[in-house]
Amino acid sequence: IGQNFTKEDLFYYIYGLLHSPEYRERFQNNLSKELPRIPAVKLFEDFMAFSKAGRKLGELHTNYESADLYPITFKEGDPKQKNISNPKSFYRVEKMKYAGQRQNVDKATVIYNNSITIENIPMEAYEYVVNGKSALDWVMERQTVTTDKESGIRNDANDYANETMNNPAHPLELFQRIITVSLETMKIIKDLPKLEID
């Protein structure tokens, strides 16, 4: 590269590069079989652009729980228009699901629980994919109540929301934050430089 940079710059260069759609497409066969190979880009300006993007992505992804709440639209159950006497009951989530039927799923609308349905979720938010699944799908899958068949152990996202976070709305707010993180991630990814390597 022929310019000065720090180990931290290099770390974030790698993080930025690993988010490049061009990199993933170009090396997809290798990535499915072995550890990623990290090529050096031709221009120092591109190195720094990947590094700066990687730094932004790293901060966004590690601080996702403090990301801004995406201003969702409530089809029903808008908390601002309700007198909520029992927040634990109002925000209790068993399993979030998309509106529509299996053949015609509406990902713009999520049925959070019997009281709350949110709509107008931007489709671009689903473009941020982690391990083959959108980040929003991961949240929906994890913010549930499940019981392990063998052990009988119950995993309840509401317990974490109420007891650890002291916020019954935590699963809903996490979903809102991940919309923000996903949209911001895709903005950064779309601004990455072209992958010019030897």
Side-chain angles (χ1 to χ4, degrees):
I1 295 176
Q3 300 280 343
N4 291 332
F5 58 92
T6 66
K7 288 179 183 176
E8 202 172 82
D9 291 334
L10 181 59
F11 173 82
Y12 286 118
Y13 164 77
I14 293 168
Y15 197 67
L17 185 75
L18 291 174
H19 281 82
S20 164
E22 196 176 350
Y23 170 81
R24 290 179 181 196
E25 187 178 319
R26 200 164 177 175
F27 296 100
Q28 69 182 353
N29 290 337
N30 297 66
L31 291 170
S32 65
K33 299 174 196 149
E34 57 192 40
L35 290 172
R37 294 174 187 220
I38 306 300
V41 291
K42 289 181 181 179
L43 300 173
F44 184 70
E45 293 76 26
D46 287 348
F47 171 83
M48 288 311 295
F50 276 110
S51 183
K52 284 178 184 164
R55 186 179 299 272
K56 284 185 197 168
L57 289 166
E59 288 169 7
L60 191 60
H61 297 162
T62 55
N63 299 312
Y64 69 93
E65 287 202 347
S66 60
D68 292 337
L69 295 174
Y70 182 81
I72 54 177
T73 307
F74 289 91
K75 186 173 183 179
E76 57 185 53
D78 186 342
K80 291 178 190 142
Q81 298 177 355
K82 295 267 184 199
N83 182 5
I84 303 168
S85 59
N86 185 344
K88 288 182 181 178
S89 173
F90 182 78
Y91 288 108
R92 180 170 179 75
V93 62
E94 294 283 331
K95 183 175 175 56
M96 293 184 232
K97 60 185 177 190
Y98 295 115
Q101 302 300 321
R102 201 174 278 210
Q103 296 85 356
N104 196 19
V105 172
D106 175 12
K107 287 193 166 195
T109 305
V110 169
I111 301 162
Y112 175 82
N113 63 18
N114 290 335
S115 305
I116 301 170
T117 300
I118 54 181
E119 61 183 355
N120 300 324
I121 298 163
M123 289 297 101
E124 310 88 78
Y126 292 100
E127 292 176 25
Y128 177 45
V129 173
V130 180
N131 289 337
K133 197 182 293 185
S134 81
L136 289 175
D137 284 332
W138 282 109
V139 173
M140 289 177 69
E141 192 176 280
R142 297 290 186 277
Q143 298 302 305
T144 60
V145 178
T146 57
T147 304
D148 183 74
K149 288 179 183 170
E150 287 185 28
S151 67
I153 294 173
R154 185 177 161 93
N155 185 11
D156 189 335
N158 301 289
D159 290 343
Y160 178 77
N162 297 324
E163 296 163 15
T164 304
M165 300 304 290
N166 294 315
N167 178 10
H170 176 71
L172 178 62
E173 290 178 2
L174 180 62
F175 189 80
Q176 289 176 261
R177 291 182 202 285
I178 298 303
I179 294 174
T180 299
V181 167
S182 298
L183 291 172
E184 288 300 312
T185 295
M186 293 315 298
K187 260 191 232 169
I188 295 167
I189 287 173
K190 287 173 181 172
D191 282 343
L192 287 171
K194 191 164 170 34
L195 188 62
E196 300 281 356
I197 56 176
D198 291 326

